[in-house]
Amino acid sequence: MKIRNRLNQAYQQAPWRKATQKGVFFLIVAILTASVLWVMLTVSVQAASAGLDVRAMDKTVEETQREIASLRTDIAVSTSSSRMETRAKELGFRPAGPDEVVYMVIPGYSGREPRISAPPPTVNNEPVLIKPVYTLSLSELLLKGLQNANSFSGGRLP
Amino acid sequence: MNKPSYTRYWFVGGLLSAVGLLIFLWMVRILLSPEAEDFRKIGKAYESTERIIYPERGNIYDRWGRLLAGNMETYELGADLRYVSDPQTIAATLASILGVDYNDIFALVSEEWTSDLPRYVTLGTFIDPEKIKQIETIQDQLDEQRMQSSRRRKKDDQMPNLDGVQWTSMMKRSYPEHSLAANVLGFFAYRERENARGYFGVEEKYNQLLTGTPIKYDDALDPYKIKEIPNVPPGASLVLTIDRDIQAMAEQTLSQHIQNTGSKSGTIVIADPETGELLAVAVSERFDPNEYWTYGETFPGITAYNRAIGTTYEPGSVFKVLTMAAALNAGVVDPSTPFLDTGVIMVGGVAIHNWDRGAWGPQDMTGCMQHSLNVCLAWIAQELGPSRFYEYINSFGIGHLSGVDLAGEVSQPVLVPGDSAWYDVNLGTNSFGQGIAATPIQMVAAISSVANDGRMMTPHVLKSVIDNGEQYNNPPQVVGTPITAETAHTLTEMLATSLEKEASNALVEGYRVAGKTGTAEIPGPEGYLASATNASFVGWGPADNPRFIVYVWLEQPQSSSWGSVVAAPLFSEIVSKLTVLMDLPPDSVRQELANQ
């Protein structure tokens, strides 16, 4: 009781202490607010930046797919029947006649089997690229964090 | 001590509260106003844009995995009028590179546009990447010049530039083999953009599979709301039974023979009788599907895109194979059944003669086939009776679609007893392939039963489908068994023997083949044409274990009207090349290898 009276007396005798207390309190609130704003701004900037990156990457993927398809067709053009025949003739080859072919038995070889030498067109099976942290608002993120925390705390030990 | 006055604070606080309340009420008014819905729509439009993703069209391969139809990158060129400041340079550049009209481009890009909203005009579509590269190079050079001279020039001076010119890449269908197998593939009309689809052949028949499923999604314009573009699987790819090398060989050989014989057109079908797989389908009218818009030049009027499936004709004596198969199977005749050919037979009160109007005297059934005697086959049909004869014709699939998986197949119904247009004489003429019409593919399907132990297979070109990285095979399908295996073997032996005895032009050195020629008259508006014929040949081999069946049809050959003279040599040449491409050793070597 005595100590409390002394403190009251000290504050009454030195009003600047009250002002300092208010100032510190205001600064704490200001710093906390600034921190929250800074976090929100940072997350927002990261989300926007990631969104633009995703869009750019999507475009790159599309371009790459188109390029792959074009190159595949280019290869097919370069090895087309007419081109290969022309090149073979230029190199001095000619079609073999039936009487020029030698047949022999090769153990284990059952003849040419139909197969696919070219892969199917591009198939996208990539996992989800954008983390939920970039698609949720700050409040949604905090709520989700709380829910996760609850689910952990509610769990049972094995 | 004076009491502090709070009037000023009350005034400022009241004023701010009143302004806040006013703003709040104004917002409520806006939200409840009739225009609110429009504002929401405008807001929504700025939030995202609806976008449809079209999957990459599936590829088409031959049986060995060689690409027959794929996709290539191409560009749409346009200009955003907000940024265009030098229409002359744009028009001059595009005119020189793309070969388009200067005035057309200039008119498009010189349109007055002062708004901040985008205004896009299309300047060209389906432009090759090389041309875009040239435009890009010029644009870079002009930008570089502008940068360098920016310090020296006055404020109002304008350097030449291509500002506002934009390009967007897209895909177009490409056929690397050009006209090769074009009649099997069909074409994809990619210039129709959103409405593009496949026409004819495989492209039309399997259009849905090749196209895949387009996906519609909202593309967020707000970077905070950007989501991944949904995964759009490409359309399924198809592996065909067609062998590119055999197809090329068939087309080249056909073209050469059409030229040599002066034929109006020609068709060759090569199939595996055991499975019904089509190895090659060559027709004379071919075009490059890369330029599909020229379709009308190659196929004027009602010209079939693929004669093998789209044109019926009276096949003539090749049809005798089916008549003889029916008679043998029904037990009406056997190879040694005697027949005295007097050169004429009356059927339904009409006299039927042989092709040479001669009498060939005593014959057996092999002799009837060897000399292609109409009189003999008409007699056989009579012995068989109309009921059984047409039952067999029906079971051979004549008059029905063969079920080949190519768009554009046609068939012509067979007239049968009871039909108003059927007369007794039809039985006689139908027995040797006149007065009855079929497509080459129907004939191949029917006669392949003789080469495949009596089993008739569905002719098809689809070997397998590749969808989402998984391959689904298309198993061969048995249509029916119109004749027994014994009948099939007997008839094959008869036809192989008849070719050998005749020393036919169809014989292939080292390989025993069975087959039959056909020379058919062509019906016209006023009866059969006087001097025009259809020359055909159907053959299969090796006779003891058939691996191929080849059907040849030359329309109105000029060098000779006889199938034995023009179609049989074509068959022989095809088979001699085919055996090499199929790695088929000569019979003697095959038996030798089998004994090792």
Side-chain angles (χ1 to χ4, degrees):
Chain A
M1 197 65 183
K2 278 183 181 176
I3 294 169
R4 194 176 175 184
N5 290 337
R6 280 181 191 166
L7 276 174
N8 284 339
Q9 188 184 359
Y11 272 98
Q12 280 168 5
Q13 285 174 348
W16 58 269
R17 291 189 183 192
K18 275 193 175 178
T20 306
Q21 190 184 32
K22 283 179 185 171
V24 168
F25 180 74
F26 175 78
L27 276 175
I28 288 168
V29 171
I31 288 167
L32 278 175
T33 309
S35 302
V36 170
L37 287 174
W38 181 81
V39 168
M40 285 180 75
L41 193 63
T42 308
V43 170
S44 297
V45 167
Q46 282 183 0
S49 172
L52 294 173
D53 286 348
V54 165
R55 187 55 78 246
M57 280 190 274
D58 279 338
K59 200 179 170 194
T60 308
V61 167
E62 278 181 20
E63 283 171 0
T64 308
Q65 284 174 345
R66 279 195 282 265
E67 200 178 335
I68 289 168
S70 283
L71 290 171
R72 188 187 292 137
T73 308
D74 283 344
I75 290 169
V77 169
S78 301
T79 57
S80 64
S81 182
S82 55
R83 288 258 186 112
M84 294 302 279
E85 192 180 336
T86 307
R87 283 166 61 187
K89 280 179 182 168
E90 283 170 0
L91 291 167
F93 292 98
R94 60 174 176 77
D99 52 342
E100 295 171 301
V101 182
V102 177
Y103 294 92
M104 62 183 75
V105 176
I106 300 171
Y109 179 65
S110 58
R112 194 178 178 190
E113 288 292 326
R115 68 183 191 283
I116 292 302
S117 56
T122 48
V123 178
N124 275 331
N125 284 324
E126 296 113 13
V128 174
L129 286 173
I130 305 175
K131 293 176 182 174
V133 71
Y134 293 116
T135 58
L136 301 176
S137 69
L138 191 61
S139 56
E140 287 170 334
L141 192 66
L142 289 172
L143 191 67
K144 196 174 177 188
L146 284 172
Q147 284 171 345
N148 286 345
N150 285 341
S151 66
F152 274 120
S153 61
R156 283 185 187 176
L157 288 172
Chain B
M1 197 172 176
N2 291 333
K3 195 178 179 182
S5 170
Y6 296 104
T7 311
R8 196 179 299 162
Y9 295 110
W10 280 112
F11 176 75
V12 173
L15 191 68
L16 288 175
S17 299
V19 170
L21 187 67
L22 269 175
I23 292 171
F24 177 76
L25 290 173
W26 193 252
M27 293 300 291
V28 170
R29 187 198 159 276
I30 289 172
L31 285 172
L32 298 176
S33 69
E35 295 84 16
E37 192 55 36
D38 294 337
F39 291 140
R40 280 192 202 99
K41 279 181 187 167
I42 293 168
K44 194 82 180 166
Y46 279 101
E47 192 177 289
S48 65
T49 179
E50 191 179 85
R51 195 178 158 201
I52 301 172
I53 304 178
Y54 295 94
E56 181 187 337
R57 192 169 175 83
N59 295 328
I60 303 175
Y61 301 96
D62 88 334
R63 67 188 295 120
W64 307 113
R66 291 172 295 206
L67 191 71
L68 298 177
N71 302 296
M72 279 205 102
E73 194 170 30
T74 184
Y75 288 87
E76 181 185 281
L77 191 72
D80 188 340
L81 296 183
R82 288 178 300 174
Y83 309 117
V84 171
S85 59
D86 188 359
Q88 291 87 350
T89 305
I90 293 173
T93 306
L94 300 190
S96 68
I97 293 175
L98 305 180
V100 290
D101 187 68
Y102 174 92
N103 293 323
D104 291 346
I105 300 293
F106 183 77
L108 283 168
V109 293
S110 58
E111 181 189 328
E112 195 68 32
W113 188 257
T114 52
S115 168
D116 286 337
L117 292 171
R119 169 86 174 100
Y120 180 80
V121 288
T122 305
L123 303 176
T125 51
F126 303 106
I127 297 167
D128 290 339
E130 298 81 42
K131 306 225 167 180
I132 292 295
K133 196 83 185 163
Q134 288 177 36
I135 295 168
E136 191 175 18
T137 306
I138 291 174
Q139 195 177 44
D140 290 346
Q141 286 170 355
L142 293 176
D143 286 348
E144 184 68 24
Q145 286 172 13
R146 183 162 54 181
M147 286 280 284
Q148 285 173 358
S149 61
S150 61
R151 290 179 185 171
R152 284 174 283 162
R153 65 197 159 93
K154 294 174 187 172
K155 198 176 179 183
D156 292 339
D157 284 353
Q158 182 175 291
M159 294 289 289
N161 65 74
L162 296 179
D163 289 352
V165 175
Q166 306 172 347
W167 48 86
T168 317
S169 70
M170 56 179 74
M171 301 296 274
K172 71 171 182 179
R173 199 61 162 161
S174 179
Y175 301 89
E177 298 285 349
H178 296 276
S179 66
L180 185 80
N183 305 76
V184 174
L185 297 174
F187 57 82
F188 179 66
Y190 60 88
R191 285 176 178 251
E192 293 172 24
R193 310 292 283 266
E194 287 82 12
N195 299 319
R197 69 175 182 91
Y199 290 87
F200 302 108
V202 173
E203 291 277 21
E204 181 175 338
K205 186 74 181 178
Y206 295 107
N207 184 56
Q208 197 71 36
L209 265 176
L210 289 162
T211 303
T213 312
I215 287 180
K216 198 185 281 186
Y217 81 106
D218 283 330
D219 189 10
L221 300 175
D222 180 352
Y224 300 116
K225 293 182 179 172
I226 287 176
K227 292 179 181 171
E228 284 169 273
I229 292 176
N231 176 30
V232 184
S237 289
L238 308 180
V239 182
L240 303 186
T241 59
I242 298 292
D243 183 317
R244 187 188 75 174
D245 295 335
I246 296 175
Q247 179 74 29
M249 177 274 289
E251 288 184 4
Q252 282 174 11
T253 312
L254 178 64
S255 298
Q256 194 186 329
H257 275 257
I258 285 175
Q259 198 178 353
N260 293 345
T261 59
S263 302
K264 192 176 167 187
S265 73
T267 302
I268 293 173
V269 179
I270 304 173
D272 178 351
E274 197 178 340
T275 59
E277 291 181 354
L278 298 174
L279 302 172
V281 181
V283 294
S284 47
E285 297 92 351
R286 294 188 296 273
F287 87 131
D288 185 352
N290 289 309
E291 295 170 3
Y292 69 85
W293 48 92
T294 63
Y295 162 79
E297 294 168 20
T298 314
F299 302 95
I302 56 165
T303 309
Y305 187 77
N306 185 346
R307 279 177 178 273
I309 62 163
T311 303
T312 57
Y313 81 117
E314 295 192 14
S317 294
V318 287
F319 202 84
K320 287 172 181 164
V321 176
L322 300 181
T323 304
M324 185 58 79
L328 288 170
N329 201 65
V332 171
V333 296
D334 62 50
S336 59
T337 301
F339 176 72
L340 180 63
D341 181 41
T342 57
V344 66
I345 188 170
M346 298 300 288
V347 182
V350 178
I352 288 175
H353 300 274
N354 286 323
W355 55 273
D356 62 347
R357 294 197 163 254
W360 287 74
Q363 298 288 330
D364 60 11
M365 291 301 111
T366 305
C368 285
M369 294 302 278
Q370 181 187 333
H371 305 303
S372 197
L373 302 178
N374 296 344
V375 172
C376 178
L377 269 294
W379 171 76
I380 289 171
Q382 282 186 319
E383 291 297 304
L384 200 57
S387 174
R388 277 196 294 181
F389 176 77
Y390 287 106
E391 273 175 28
Y392 271 104
I393 296 305
N394 185 53
S395 63
F396 278 120
I398 304 300
H400 306 288
L401 296 176
S402 70
V404 67
D405 49 352
L406 293 171
E409 190 189 8
V410 300
S411 73
Q412 186 171 316
V414 176
L415 292 174
V416 295
D419 290 341
S420 59
W422 189 87
Y423 300 97
D424 289 341
V425 70
N426 283 41
L427 179 65
T429 55
N430 289 173
S431 70
F432 51 88
Q434 296 279 183
I436 193 167
T439 60
I441 203 76
Q442 286 167 1
M443 291 300 293
V444 168
I447 297 175
S448 67
S449 63
V450 184
N452 186 35
D453 298 336
R455 285 188 302 274
M456 213 172 107
M457 311 300 292
T458 304
H460 62 278
V461 295
L462 182 68
K463 192 158 187 68
S464 59
V465 177
I466 301 168
D467 196 12
N468 273 328
E470 292 179 333
Q471 189 164 348
Y472 305 91
N473 290 326
N474 182 28
Q477 289 183 335
V478 180
V479 182
T481 312
I483 54 172
T484 63
E486 190 188 348
T487 302
H489 297 156
T490 303
L491 185 52
T492 298
E493 183 58 33
M494 283 170 68
L495 291 172
T497 305
S498 68
L499 286 184
E500 287 163 348
K501 280 185 178 174
E502 192 190 350
S504 168
N505 288 326
L507 292 173
V508 183
E509 197 179 339
Y511 300 86
R512 192 159 188 258
V513 293
K516 181 75 191 78
T517 54
T519 306
E521 291 183 283
I522 301 173
E526 297 169 3
Y528 285 98
L529 303 178
S531 57
T533 60
N534 277 319
S536 307
F537 192 94
V538 63
W540 55 95
D544 58 340
N545 179 24
R547 295 279 308 280
F548 59 81
I549 179 167
V550 177
Y551 193 93
V552 169
W553 167 29
L554 291 174
E555 187 185 11
Q556 300 188 28
Q558 299 301 308
S559 60
S560 168
S561 58
W562 300 108
S564 57
V565 179
V566 290
L570 174 55
F571 168 83
S572 177
E573 189 177 337
I574 290 278
V575 172
S576 63
K577 291 174 180 172
L578 184 64
T579 51
V580 175
L581 293 171
M582 289 181 75
D583 293 332
L584 272 180
D587 294 345
S588 58
V589 177
R590 184 160 48 90
Q591 281 155 12
E592 207 175 286
L593 293 174
N595 293 333
Q596 283 180 14

